[in-house]
Amino acid sequence: MRSEDQDNTWAVPPDIELDSEELNAVDNLVNNEALGFDAPVNILLAGNSGDGKSTLANAMLGVDLAETGAGFPVTKGIKCYAYRDKPLNLFDTEGFEVLDSERTVGAVKEFIESRRKKADSKQYIHIVWLCISATSRRLQQVQIDLVRLCSQLQVPVIVVVTKSYLKDDSSEAFLKVIANSLPEVDGMIPVLAKEMYFGKLRIAPFGLIQLLDSTLSLIPTACQAALKFSQVADFDRKLEAATKVVNVTAIAALSLSFPAAFVPGGHAGLLVPIEVTMIHQINKALGISLEKQKQIAVAKGTLGVVLATVGGRLLFTETMKVIPFVGQLASMIVGGAIAGTIVKIFGTAYIAAVGEMVRAGTAPTTGAIVDAITSALSIHQHQIVSGATTLIGEEIGKRK
């Protein structure tokens, strides 16, 4: 008489399980090699109230200073915004135009120098974004003094000319005034962070990618990955990070304790924990919020789709092509190679599915993700399997 577990294709034999320490090791590997957070990025936002600091922060980093209001004061006139889900610290100079120039710049100088005295360089201010509204048509002494201070302290500063929706002679003249008055700046970038409408005329946002590129070129290498991860302006960069998550996870699966007899079927349930781990990391890279139970549902539902659509025989045959000398390999490499191929296929299809949803502004749901992956696999199954097995084959070749 067959047991309930024997009828369940997701049942995992009691004597076969993935070590939680191994899963934690994979998670740490992805964090270090794929997402690469050596240090958080610390950005000082300066500018008058109403000059668009909050709008810029929202468009570039997906955070809203005005709505959260949850920052904490670090010194008089400067508030810190830290984020649990982003390797990012924003320091906002509140009331920039209220205090006189000497007091305001003095407070910033004291703050930057105090951070530099710390032994940990992760505490340093990495860059200053000075927001000046294009509609103000005037440059203040406090802005001039702040730029000179940053130059003296060797802290990169970019002047972000916000609300740059006009292209008239007056606007161009103001940009020349800024450039001539602030020769020490490391960049001056006109930006429209949020679309604007004049009747039926729509002016699309611009300048954010240029600001991101310029910032990445100026901040330390150790915190560049943190900015790429935290930003929301360039979705292609987030897709690159998500793809790297899949590659690292798939290769890591090679060394996990899968049995040599691993084949799609009962043992396939072993992949659910590692795929849930990978979904979590992909979602982090793409800025997606998905509850753990939904991640598990997606992993289970999609794993079934992968096996049903691609077919166990095709998967096994293609994987074995990259292992020409099975007898010379450790048994777990055989099982790991098949598992790694499945993980790679799953991750690639998952990114394609949720990536299109996020790009279109649609919130991913479990059913929509499974449907999208089913469609992608049915159209590109041989190409996806070939790409996955090639990647795994290259890694196996390094280990032989």
Side-chain angles (χ1 to χ4, degrees):
M1 183 175 178
R2 292 172 62 85
S3 69
E4 183 179 345
D5 280 350
Q6 286 174 312
D7 289 329
N8 181 2
T9 58
W10 292 103
V12 178
D15 58 333
I16 300 176
E17 60 180 12
L18 283 180
D19 192 330
S20 61
E21 291 186 4
E22 290 185 320
L23 289 174
N24 288 336
V26 172
D27 206 32
N28 291 332
L29 186 68
V30 171
N31 272 327
N32 294 333
E33 293 194 7
L35 301 179
F37 300 152
D38 293 331
V41 59
N42 301 320
I43 301 173
L44 179 69
L45 272 173
N48 297 344
S49 298
D51 275 1
K53 289 184 295 181
S54 184
T55 303
L56 177 66
N58 182 260
M60 178 63 78
L61 303 166
V63 298
D64 196 320
L65 306 182
E67 290 184 2
T68 59
F72 56 91
V74 290
T75 188
K76 187 174 182 179
I78 299 177
K79 184 180 286 188
C80 174
Y81 294 84
Y83 304 92
R84 185 175 60 181
D85 60 341
K86 292 178 182 286
L88 164 73
N89 294 306
L90 278 180
F91 299 91
D92 180 24
T93 54
E94 297 183 304
F96 194 72
E97 73 283 10
V98 176
L99 300 177
D100 62 81
S101 175
E102 185 176 342
R103 289 175 58 197
T104 300
V105 176
V108 173
K109 181 177 186 294
E110 181 180 342
F111 173 65
I112 292 177
E113 289 183 334
S114 69
R115 306 279 295 188
R116 280 191 171 180
K117 291 178 181 178
K118 298 180 182 295
D120 187 359
S121 61
K122 295 177 183 179
Q123 301 293 320
Y124 295 0
I125 296 300
H126 300 127
I127 196 161
V128 174
W129 288 347
L130 172 58
C131 295
I132 301 177
S133 173
T135 59
S136 69
R137 297 289 195 274
R138 61 192 180 95
L139 194 62
Q140 298 176 320
Q141 188 62 43
V142 66
Q143 297 161 339
I144 297 172
D145 291 344
L146 178 65
V147 168
R148 289 175 179 170
L149 169 67
C150 292
S151 178
Q152 293 169 5
L153 296 178
Q154 297 183 325
V155 176
V157 57
I158 297 176
V159 171
V160 184
V161 187
T162 58
K163 305 180 183 180
S164 294
Y165 53 86
L166 295 177
K167 298 295 182 182
D168 55 12
D169 292 341
S170 180
S171 299
E172 293 299 321
F174 184 49
L175 291 178
K176 291 181 180 179
V177 168
I178 296 175
N180 293 333
S181 303
L182 304 176
E184 303 93 344
V185 298
D186 297 279
M188 183 184 70
I189 303 174
V191 168
L192 181 63
K194 185 178 181 180
E195 65 182 6
M196 293 194 67
Y197 287 87
F198 293 91
K200 295 183 178 180
L201 175 64
R202 174 182 178 270
I203 302 179
F206 63 86
L208 292 172
I209 302 299
Q210 185 181 356
L211 175 59
L212 176 61
D213 290 340
S214 183
T215 301
L216 286 169
S217 70
L218 292 169
I219 63 177
T221 302
C223 57
Q224 288 176 1
L227 178 57
K228 290 179 182 178
F229 176 85
S230 299
Q231 62 87 27
V232 297
D234 188 349
F235 193 70
D236 287 339
R237 274 198 172 96
K238 301 184 82 64
L239 285 176
E240 289 175 8
T243 300
K244 198 168 183 181
V245 166
V246 173
N247 291 339
V248 171
T249 306
I251 291 173
L254 288 171
S255 59
L256 294 180
S257 302
F258 290 105
F262 176 86
V263 292
H267 293 175
L270 289 169
L271 290 175
V272 173
I274 192 171
E275 289 188 346
V276 169
T277 298
M278 183 169 63
I279 287 175
H280 176 65
Q281 296 285 18
I282 292 172
N283 288 348
K284 281 171 57 179
L286 296 180
I288 298 171
S289 177
L290 199 65
E291 297 173 1
K292 186 173 182 180
Q293 290 304 315
K294 291 183 179 180
Q295 294 177 5
I296 294 173
V298 168
K300 286 188 174 183
T302 310
L303 179 54
V305 170
V306 169
L307 300 181
T309 307
V310 176
R313 181 173 298 178
L314 171 63
L315 186 62
F316 188 87
T317 301
E318 290 297 317
T319 304
M320 290 302 101
K321 286 180 181 178
V322 301
I323 311 179
F325 306 107
V326 175
Q328 299 178 18
L329 297 173
S331 61
M332 75 172 185
I333 293 295
V334 178
I338 300 172
T341 305
I342 297 173
V343 168
K344 171 70 174 179
I345 292 170
F346 167 82
T348 302
Y350 182 82
I351 290 174
V354 299
E356 287 305 312
M357 294 176 193
V358 174
R359 197 188 290 274
T362 304
T365 63
T366 302
I369 292 172
V370 174
D371 289 345
I373 290 177
T374 302
S375 176
L377 287 174
S378 64
I379 298 173
H380 306 291
Q381 58 175 298
H382 287 276
Q383 179 182 354
I384 293 175
V385 171
S386 176
T389 52
T390 298
L391 175 68
I392 303 302
E394 291 174 353
E395 184 64 18
I396 289 175
K398 296 177 185 178
R399 296 178 179 224
K400 286 170 57 177

